[in-house]
Amino acid sequence: MSQQLATAKRIVIKVGSALLVDNDTGTIQQAWFNSLIADVVKCWQEGKEVILVSSGAVALGRKFLKNTNPQLQLEQKQAAAAIGQIQLAHAYQEALAKNQIIVAQVLLTLDDSENRRRYLNAKNTLESLLTSRIIPVINENDTVATAEIRYGDNDRLAARVSQMVSADVLILLSDIDGLYTADPRQNPQAKFIPEVKELTSEILAMAGNSGSIYGSGGMITKLAAAKIALASGCKMVIALGKPQNPIMQIDKVGRNTWFIPKTTPISARKNWIAQHLKPLGALSIDDGAEAALRQGKSLLAAGMVSLTGEFQKGDCVCILNSGQQEIGRGLVNYPAREVRKLIGHKSSEFADILGYPGCEAVVHRDDLVLHEKLN
């Protein structure tokens, strides 16, 4: 296993249609698929948290439409996705169940990762699954997607998922072994690039188009994914997926391109909260709560005194100390109307107050940025 992977706690693996589905039969390439599952199981048994972002629904379902035209119309793609998605989910469920691993199907669109409320719902669901040692298998919701299905791809979706869960490494299994200065299938003089630390205009100009009739992504979408991953503090690798056991072969056989960020996932997330979000309210806390936050703990309702503003779940709010000085900012787990009811109460009382248990923290420590304390 690659050293980069060996030290990673949370991994997102993107599997493309061209690797998963046989072009001629429209069925899963079973031997390769079994070797991929063996790699996933090994990662899981080592205590890593794994998310699979898997294409393949359209490729698996299209044969039932008896349409051999590579360019399906939108409604035909949606129909093929509806047919193929159940087969795809069943394949992962059956394969991983043999190793007593539970699988969860999650269908997303890019809009789910960009709409703040839906983003939070998806994030909380994925975090809950990972905490329970369940492997989410994610695909774009092609049955209802419109613009996404015409030019969409799972490379960017995998990057958004990596950003969402603060993954350490994103693996893009591809039919090419990495980034070149030009398309090596067309230009034998193209030079291989083993590592990228910054997406310069020269790097972005190296992208080409997809060469597979089943794949929707090309190097363009992989570099778009890299841009998201690097900004999120997530390492990304473009690796050749064709060999058996493709995850374990990374950095062992052949070559691949690593994209190395300048920061960590948590640091990138906190910088985003501190620098790029406009606060929509403020939470005033007592001295005990401030001391707890300084020790790296989450903000609990019991330490709150008052609030201002009309914010929603997931919005950014200022944290004010007893002297009404701003000591930090964070993403709140409840809308203002519910926070008002929770002020001063213990989390064990939330179910009676709100009618549902809810989150223990009003602002979780991972979603909280504190300013340096001034003496």
Side-chain angles (χ1 to χ4, degrees), residues 248-269:
M248 295 303 142
Q249 296 301 326
I250 292 176
D251 288 345
K252 286 188 176 182
V253 177
R255 54 192 181 184
N256 33 251
T257 299
W258 279 95
F259 294 79
I260 308 298
K262 297 178 180 179
T263 185
T264 64
I266 291 297
S267 295
R269 180 172 177 78

Side-chain angles (χ1 to χ4, degrees), residues 86-322:
I86 193 168
Q87 297 179 62
L88 185 66
H90 178 70
Y92 280 108
Q93 187 275 330
E94 186 176 50
L96 288 166
K98 294 176 182 177
N99 295 277
Q100 290 74 54
I101 299 175
I102 299 172
V103 171
Q105 176 181 260
V106 181
L107 298 179
L108 299 172
T109 65
L110 285 172
D111 189 52
D112 291 321
S113 67
E114 293 171 356
N115 177 285
R116 186 71 196 137
R117 195 121 358 116
R118 286 156 69 176
Y119 169 94
L120 277 174
N121 289 336
K123 172 182 167 61
N124 291 339
T125 297
L126 292 174
E127 292 284 359
S128 180
L129 291 171
L130 293 172
T131 299
S132 300
R133 299 287 288 148
I134 295 169
I135 294 182
V137 177
I138 299 173
N139 195 3
E140 187 172 34
N141 195 354
D142 290 341
T143 301
V144 299
T146 53
E148 293 89 350
I149 202 170
R150 289 195 295 271
Y151 59 85
D153 62 90
N154 275 353
D155 292 331
R156 285 183 299 159
L157 182 59
R160 289 295 188 191
V161 169
S162 300
Q163 179 185 55
M164 190 181 291
V165 300
S166 299
D168 300 304
V169 174
L170 166 60
I171 302 171
L172 299 184
L173 295 179
S174 176
D175 56 359
I176 191 169
D177 57 2
L179 178 65
Y180 289 77
T181 54
D183 188 341
R185 292 168 292 194
Q186 299 178 11
N187 184 354
Q189 302 303 315
K191 295 181 180 179
F192 179 76
I193 301 175
E195 185 176 277
V196 175
K197 293 185 177 180
E198 184 178 0
L199 289 174
T200 63
S201 57
E202 290 79 10
I203 293 291
L204 294 173
M206 296 172 188
N209 295 318
S210 174
S212 165
I213 66 167
Y214 285 125
S216 60
M219 196 54 67
I220 292 174
T221 64
K222 288 173 175 53
L223 291 184
K227 184 176 182 180
I228 297 168
L230 292 181
S232 306
C234 176
K235 298 174 185 175
M236 189 186 100
V237 60
I238 300 174
L240 187 63
K242 292 180 180 179
Q244 299 277 306
N245 303 103
I247 306 301
M248 295 303 142
Q249 296 301 326
I250 292 176
D251 288 345
K252 286 188 176 182
V253 177
R255 54 192 181 184
N256 33 251
T257 299
W258 279 95
F259 294 79
I260 308 298
K262 297 178 180 179
T263 185
T264 64
I266 291 297
S267 295
R269 180 172 177 78
K270 293 195 178 234
N271 179 67
W272 171 65
I273 293 171
Q275 303 294 332
H276 301 287
L277 296 182
K278 179 182 179 181
L280 297 179
L283 308 179
S284 297
I285 63 175
D286 59 29
D287 292 338
E290 179 179 3
L293 297 187
R294 297 289 183 191
Q295 294 171 11
K297 297 181 180 179
S298 300
L299 175 59
L300 305 181
M304 290 182 53
V305 176
S306 64
L307 69 83
T308 57
E310 292 300 327
F311 48 83
Q312 299 298 319
K313 176 182 177 180
D315 285 339
C316 180
V317 295
C318 296
I319 310 298
L320 308 180
N321 64 10
S322 58

